[in-house]
Amino acid sequence: MEKSNRRRVILFPLPVQGCINPMIQLAKILHSRGFSITLIHTRFNAPKASSHPLFTFLQIQDGLSETETITDDNTLLFTLLNRGCETPFRECLTKLLQYTDSETEEHKEKISCLIHDSGWIFTESVAKSLKLPRLVLNGYSISFFCSHFVLPSIRREEYLLLQGSEKDDQAQEFPPLRKKDILRILGEKRELLEPYLNTIFQTTKSSSGIISMSCEELEQDSLSHAREDFKLPMFAIGPSHSNFPASSSSLFTQDETCIPWLDKQQDKSVIYVSFGSLAKMSRTELIEIAWGLSNSDQPFLLVVRVGLVNGTIPQELLERLNEKGKIVKWAPQQEVLKHRAVGGFFTHNGWNSVVESVCEGVPMICLPFIWDQFLNARFVSEVWRVGMHLENRIERNEIERAIRSLFLGNEGEAIRERMKLLKEKVERSVKQNGSAYRSLDHLVDHISSF
């Protein structure tokens, strides 16, 4: 780590796994550049402070009831969090600033800025009242973040009434999504969507800059559009997680026994299957996936986390699965994707998972479930062309066909070659003089200027 620059940065992640991971990664990066780190977090889904002894963790109340913490409606969850956290956050931040002001000159640290997840929308008024500069961390791809503000207007135009073959057409308002993807996104419970997105847009535009865990090599056109739309400093600092393992920021207990199991498998032979921390599926869907894996004759590592499915896998199928693969409740994903034995990733296409897969050169089979996952899957399968899209066909024959094609077919071979080239490009971006490396330097200079 570089010597302390006597500056402190306050970080405030949204309390879901996909938002905590990039915020902790950013904390590690900034700490390595000499900044002290204070992380304010909610009681709900609190990160493990013991895993990060060099950071200061401050917990605030969030006002959520037990019932509210298990809602399937993320927009509702985030709206409730914004209502419940404003006063506790303001009080916590005010005390921090007062404490800093009272320190002796010898130990005095300047609080440079607040960096918060884009989903926190009350932070604008709090930071403004305390005269604290504020940057926004975007946990999505830049492509989704810039385009998803059109969703309320698409809903108002009665997009849901579209019928027939038109559903396979590209959505001109939100490329490269198909119209059927838009239907699935808007089919979720989204009564609070319009006011929430409008406020995110306004609070982002009034910030001092946007930080993204993406890079020019993945989203050059989208980054150009974002700079035009927001007219703010844009810091695409790249998939810097490769320098800092993410296991310490996991909200789930990881089953490390899968690594010795992978050690026994042949190179590039295993299909890793994980659908992230939020996806839910029916028992029937899980059974179809399980049979598809079993019938493919490829060894597999299947993650079935608590809450993924209602019900259990039949014992007969479970016994067959255990003969050919391994089932765990949660896996150390970065370590798994790095492993020589893993040759494919059957994924929900969360942005963190997509970027990690690209960084390790592992081609994907795409089965998106919610929100930005649909756009990420289109980028994987149609823009970068480093994976296959199941198009929501959760059928054993389709899954078996996709796995066999990826591991044994000509299409899979072409995908692997494109993935190898994309991995090399992204690797260059985070090395000295690469686009993401330069962007990180600019971010450090920007924070230091406050």
Side-chain angles (χ1 to χ4, degrees), residues 295-341:
N295 294 340
S296 75
D297 287 328
Q298 291 293 140
F300 57 85
L301 173 61
L302 172 62
V303 176
V304 183
R305 69 159 214 283
V306 174
L308 173 67
V309 64
N310 290 322
T312 57
I313 303 175
Q315 188 60 34
E316 173 198 356
L317 178 54
L318 197 60
E319 290 172 2
R320 178 164 175 165
L321 288 174
N322 285 324
E323 288 175 9
K324 297 192 175 186
K326 183 172 179 63
I327 304 173
V328 296
K329 291 182 179 178
W330 198 249
Q333 182 161 292
Q334 284 185 25
E335 196 175 350
V336 167
L337 290 171
K338 283 178 185 290
H339 200 284
R340 57 158 185 81

Side-chain angles (χ1 to χ4, degrees), residues 236-294:
I237 64 174
S240 304
H241 70 268
S242 54
N243 299 318
F244 301 99
S247 58
S248 57
S249 61
S250 175
L251 296 172
F252 300 91
T253 301
Q254 298 176 335
D255 187 339
E256 301 286 346
T257 64
C258 59
I259 303 302
W261 180 84
L262 286 171
D263 291 340
K264 299 174 184 176
Q265 310 305 316
Q266 295 181 2
D267 288 1
K268 305 295 182 189
S269 66
V270 174
I271 179 79
Y272 168 54
V273 188
S274 178
F275 303 114
S277 59
L278 295 175
K280 294 182 183 295
M281 65 177 64
S282 68
R283 179 175 182 268
T284 301
E285 288 172 332
L286 181 59
I287 289 172
E288 288 298 306
I289 289 170
W291 275 115
L293 291 170
S294 179

Side-chain angles (χ1 to χ4, degrees), residues 134-198:
R134 178 179 62 86
L135 287 89
V136 171
L137 175 63
N138 162 43
Y140 302 127
S141 69
I142 285 293
S143 307
F144 184 82
F145 185 70
C146 285
S147 299
H148 81 307
F149 298 111
V150 305
L151 288 171
S153 65
I154 291 176
R155 179 192 278 277
R156 287 196 300 272
E157 290 165 10
E158 299 183 341
Y159 212 84
L160 292 173
L161 298 179
L162 282 171
Q163 299 294 326
S165 60
E166 286 184 343
K167 291 182 180 179
D168 279 316
D169 295 345
Q170 191 173 96
Q172 299 303 317
E173 309 92 332
F174 205 154
L177 283 179
R178 308 273 183 92
K179 290 180 178 178
K180 62 184 179 183
D181 300 328
I182 299 275
L183 295 176
R184 290 189 67 192
I185 290 172
L186 293 179
E188 300 172 39
K189 300 178 209 170
R190 298 289 177 193
E191 293 82 1
L192 300 167
L193 183 65
E194 184 165 354
Y196 186 53
L197 288 186
N198 288 343

Side-chain angles (χ1 to χ4, degrees), residues 20 54 71 112-113 144 160 175 182 201 209 215 251 253 260 269 274 281 283 292 296 344 367 379 424 439 441 444:
I20 290 173
L54 298 177
T71 177
S112 290
C113 66
F144 184 82
L160 292 173
I182 299 275
F201 184 73
C215 59
L251 296 172
T253 301
S269 66
S274 178
M281 65 177 64
R283 179 175 182 268
S296 75
L367 184 63
F379 266 82
E424 290 170 354
S439 195
D441 278 347
V444 170

Side-chain angles (χ1 to χ4, degrees), residues 356-369:
E356 289 167 12
S357 202
V358 169
C359 285
E360 303 308 330
V362 179
M364 288 167 261
I365 295 175
C366 303
L367 184 63
F369 286 84

